[in-house]
């Protein structure tokens, strides 16, 4: 999800890193907003345990990507004999989205997930839940005492969660 917010050239950053001269890439630029990513997995993997099965046709990716800012990244997929996309590993797809708020990014990603289908499909129903709860609690704290600085900062607490990047604030 982080890469969805990168404005700098990834090529320039990787090239500068490869030649040992990160200074030539300049300052890393991030667009403002939040990003969320939801992993769609084969049933039997992860929270439900069991043995995942593969080879099921995947539908709805094109429909999912019609949603605002939604992009779907393949992970454990292969092409069938007729060119159709089939499940081929535990983690099948990652549905990502960006938004002006964390809630918007998460909602858009889940809207994308709702368009995709395959047999025994599974995903976590609470991506972003902890960060949204923390953000909400700290916003309530700020409302009660607007002069006291809250512990939540967009470059701190939420950015340590693997699936989102808060509004850019010069952290990187």
């Amino acid at each position: 999800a982080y890469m969805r917010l990168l404005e700098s050239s990834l090529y320039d950053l990787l090239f500068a890193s490869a030649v040992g001269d990160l200074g030539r890439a300049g300052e890393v630029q991030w667009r403002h907003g939040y990003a969320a990513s939801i992993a769609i997995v084969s049933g039997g993997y992860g929270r439900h345990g069991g043995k995942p099965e593969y080879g099921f046709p995947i539908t709805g990716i094109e429909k999912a990507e019609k949603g605002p800012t939604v992009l779907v990244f393949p992970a454990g997929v292969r092409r069938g004999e007729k060119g159709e996309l089939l499940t081929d590993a535990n983690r099948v797809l990652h549905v990502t989205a960006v938004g002006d708020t964390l809630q918007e990014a998460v909602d858009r990603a889940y809207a994308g997930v709702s368009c995709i289908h395959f047999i025994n499909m599974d995903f976590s129903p609470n991506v972003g839940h902890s960060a949204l709860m923390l953000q909400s609690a700290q916003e309530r704290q700020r409302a009660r005492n607007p002069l006291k600085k809250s512990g939540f900062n967009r470059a701190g607490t939420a950015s340590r969660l693997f699936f989102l990047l808060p509004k850019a604030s010069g952290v990187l």
Side-chain angles (χ1 to χ4, degrees):
Y2 284 118
M3 299 308 292
R4 297 288 313 276
L5 299 176
L6 181 65
E7 285 190 337
S8 297
S9 164
L10 180 59
Y11 173 82
D12 290 346
L13 292 169
L14 293 174
F15 183 80
S17 177
V19 298
D21 186 11
L22 283 174
R24 81 183 315 163
E27 185 175 332
V28 177
Q29 299 295 315
W30 298 95
R31 73 178 53 118
H32 293 280
Y34 293 80
S37 178
I38 300 166
I40 300 179
V41 301
S42 295
Y45 175 72
R47 65 191 173 118
H48 296 298
K51 183 175 177 8
E53 296 178 5
Y54 312 127
F56 300 116
I58 303 167
T59 61
I61 293 174
E62 298 81 12
K63 183 178 178 185
E65 289 187 331
K66 288 182 180 177
T69 76
V70 174
L71 285 177
V72 179
F73 293 92
V77 299
R78 65 179 168 86
R79 291 280 177 192
E81 291 178 13
K82 298 176 185 172
E84 73 277 25
L85 204 57
L86 304 173
T87 62
D88 198 42
N90 294 338
R91 291 178 179 249
V92 179
L93 302 166
H94 290 268
V95 179
T96 67
V98 298
D100 291 333
T101 66
L102 175 56
Q103 185 69 62
E104 184 177 53
V106 169
D107 289 347
R108 287 176 172 177
Y110 276 114
V113 168
S114 73
C115 298
I116 297 170
H117 304 282
F118 59 85
I119 295 173
N120 294 332
M121 179 176 130
D122 197 13
F123 58 91
S124 174
N126 59 359
V127 168
H129 180 75
S130 296
L132 288 166
M133 285 182 48
L134 176 63
Q135 189 176 43
S136 176
Q138 292 183 340
E139 285 170 357
R140 286 192 306 274
Q141 178 185 354
R142 275 196 302 273
R144 284 192 303 268
N145 188 355
L147 299 177
K148 184 177 178 187
K149 201 159 189 144
S150 145
F152 183 83
N153 77 42
R154 293 182 173 164
T157 307
S159 67
R160 289 191 292 270
L161 301 172
F162 74 94
F163 50 82
L164 57 96
L165 180 68
K167 290 197 176 198
S169 59
V171 171
L172 299 174

